[in-house]
Short mmCIF file of all heavy atoms in Angstrom, two decimals:
data_model
loop_
_atom_site.label_atom_id
_atom_site.label_comp_id
_atom_site.label_asym_id
_atom_site.label_seq_id
_atom_site.Cartn_x
_atom_site.Cartn_y
_atom_site.Cartn_z
N GLU A 1228 -15.52 28.84 18.73
CA GLU A 1228 -15.03 30.12 19.25
C GLU A 1228 -15.55 31.32 18.46
O GLU A 1228 -15.83 32.36 19.04
CB GLU A 1228 -13.49 30.10 19.21
CG GLU A 1228 -12.83 31.31 19.76
CD GLU A 1228 -11.32 31.21 19.67
OE1 GLU A 1228 -10.77 30.10 19.71
OE2 GLU A 1228 -10.68 32.27 19.54
N ARG A 1229 -15.65 31.14 17.15
CA ARG A 1229 -16.02 32.26 16.28
C ARG A 1229 -17.04 31.81 15.24
O ARG A 1229 -16.72 31.71 14.05
CB ARG A 1229 -14.76 32.82 15.62
CG ARG A 1229 -13.80 33.40 16.67
CD ARG A 1229 -12.47 33.80 16.13
NE ARG A 1229 -12.54 34.72 15.03
CZ ARG A 1229 -11.48 35.08 14.32
NH1 ARG A 1229 -10.28 34.61 14.62
NH2 ARG A 1229 -11.60 35.92 13.31
N PRO A 1230 -18.27 31.55 15.64
CA PRO A 1230 -19.26 30.99 14.72
C PRO A 1230 -19.51 31.85 13.48
O PRO A 1230 -19.74 31.30 12.40
CB PRO A 1230 -20.52 30.84 15.57
CG PRO A 1230 -20.29 31.61 16.80
CD PRO A 1230 -18.82 31.76 16.99
N ASP A 1231 -19.46 33.15 13.61
CA ASP A 1231 -19.73 34.02 12.47
C ASP A 1231 -18.62 33.97 11.41
O ASP A 1231 -18.86 34.33 10.26
CB ASP A 1231 -19.93 35.47 12.92
CG ASP A 1231 -21.20 35.64 13.74
OD1 ASP A 1231 -22.08 34.74 13.68
OD2 ASP A 1231 -21.31 36.65 14.44
N ASP A 1232 -17.44 33.56 11.81
CA ASP A 1232 -16.29 33.51 10.90
C ASP A 1232 -15.97 32.10 10.42
O ASP A 1232 -15.05 31.92 9.61
CB ASP A 1232 -15.04 34.06 11.60
CG ASP A 1232 -15.16 35.53 11.94
OD1 ASP A 1232 -15.86 36.25 11.20
OD2 ASP A 1232 -14.55 35.95 12.93
N ALA A 1233 -16.67 31.09 10.92
CA ALA A 1233 -16.26 29.70 10.72
C ALA A 1233 -16.20 29.29 9.24
O ALA A 1233 -15.22 28.68 8.81
CB ALA A 1233 -17.19 28.76 11.49
N GLU A 1234 -17.22 29.60 8.48
CA GLU A 1234 -17.23 29.19 7.06
C GLU A 1234 -16.10 29.85 6.29
O GLU A 1234 -15.35 29.20 5.57
CB GLU A 1234 -18.59 29.53 6.41
CG GLU A 1234 -19.76 28.75 6.95
CD GLU A 1234 -19.73 27.26 6.61
OE1 GLU A 1234 -19.07 26.85 5.64
OE2 GLU A 1234 -20.41 26.51 7.34
N ARG A 1235 -15.98 31.16 6.47
CA ARG A 1235 -14.95 31.93 5.74
C ARG A 1235 -13.55 31.45 6.11
O ARG A 1235 -12.70 31.24 5.24
CB ARG A 1235 -15.11 33.42 6.07
CG ARG A 1235 -14.06 34.32 5.45
CD ARG A 1235 -14.31 35.78 5.85
NE ARG A 1235 -14.22 36.02 7.27
CZ ARG A 1235 -13.08 36.28 7.93
NH1 ARG A 1235 -11.94 36.33 7.27
NH2 ARG A 1235 -13.10 36.49 9.23
N LEU A 1236 -13.30 31.27 7.40
CA LEU A 1236 -11.96 30.86 7.83
C LEU A 1236 -11.66 29.41 7.48
O LEU A 1236 -10.51 29.07 7.20
CB LEU A 1236 -11.79 31.10 9.33
CG LEU A 1236 -11.70 32.56 9.74
CD1 LEU A 1236 -11.59 32.69 11.26
CD2 LEU A 1236 -10.55 33.28 9.04
N ALA A 1237 -12.68 28.56 7.44
CA ALA A 1237 -12.45 27.18 7.01
C ALA A 1237 -12.05 27.15 5.53
O ALA A 1237 -11.11 26.44 5.14
CB ALA A 1237 -13.68 26.33 7.26
N ASP A 1238 -12.76 27.92 4.71
CA ASP A 1238 -12.39 28.00 3.29
C ASP A 1238 -10.99 28.58 3.13
O ASP A 1238 -10.19 28.07 2.34
CB ASP A 1238 -13.40 28.86 2.52
CG ASP A 1238 -14.73 28.16 2.32
OD1 ASP A 1238 -14.79 26.91 2.42
OD2 ASP A 1238 -15.73 28.87 2.06
N TYR A 1239 -10.72 29.63 3.86
CA TYR A 1239 -9.41 30.26 3.79
C TYR A 1239 -8.31 29.26 4.16
O TYR A 1239 -7.29 29.17 3.47
CB TYR A 1239 -9.37 31.47 4.73
CG TYR A 1239 -8.03 32.16 4.77
CD1 TYR A 1239 -7.64 33.02 3.76
CD2 TYR A 1239 -7.14 31.94 5.83
CE1 TYR A 1239 -6.40 33.65 3.78
CE2 TYR A 1239 -5.91 32.57 5.87
CZ TYR A 1239 -5.54 33.42 4.84
OH TYR A 1239 -4.31 34.04 4.88
N THR A 1240 -8.53 28.50 5.21
CA THR A 1240 -7.53 27.52 5.65
C THR A 1240 -7.27 26.50 4.57
O THR A 1240 -6.11 26.17 4.27
CB THR A 1240 -7.99 26.83 6.95
OG1 THR A 1240 -8.20 27.83 7.96
CG2 THR A 1240 -6.97 25.82 7.44
N LEU A 1241 -8.32 26.01 3.94
CA LEU A 1241 -8.15 25.03 2.87
C LEU A 1241 -7.42 25.62 1.68
O LEU A 1241 -6.55 24.97 1.08
CB LEU A 1241 -9.51 24.47 2.46
CG LEU A 1241 -9.48 23.11 1.78
CD1 LEU A 1241 -8.85 22.05 2.68
CD2 LEU A 1241 -10.89 22.69 1.40
N VAL A 1242 -7.73 26.86 1.34
CA VAL A 1242 -7.04 27.53 0.23
C VAL A 1242 -5.55 27.69 0.55
O VAL A 1242 -4.69 27.43 -0.30
CB VAL A 1242 -7.70 28.90 -0.08
CG1 VAL A 1242 -6.83 29.75 -0.98
CG2 VAL A 1242 -9.07 28.68 -0.70
N VAL A 1243 -5.23 28.10 1.76
CA VAL A 1243 -3.82 28.25 2.14
C VAL A 1243 -3.12 26.89 2.11
O VAL A 1243 -2.00 26.77 1.60
CB VAL A 1243 -3.67 28.92 3.52
CG1 VAL A 1243 -2.22 28.90 4.00
CG2 VAL A 1243 -4.17 30.36 3.45
N MET A 1244 -3.78 25.86 2.62
CA MET A 1244 -3.18 24.52 2.60
C MET A 1244 -2.91 24.06 1.16
O MET A 1244 -1.85 23.51 0.87
CB MET A 1244 -4.09 23.52 3.31
CG MET A 1244 -4.12 23.72 4.81
SD MET A 1244 -5.36 22.70 5.63
CE MET A 1244 -4.79 21.07 5.24
#
Side-chain angles (χ1 to χ4, degrees):
E1228 183 181 330
R1229 296 173 55 188
D1231 293 342
D1232 295 330
E1234 294 292 338
R1235 177 181 62 86
L1236 290 178
D1238 287 340
Y1239 178 78
T1240 302
L1241 203 59
V1242 167
V1243 172
M1244 289 172 62

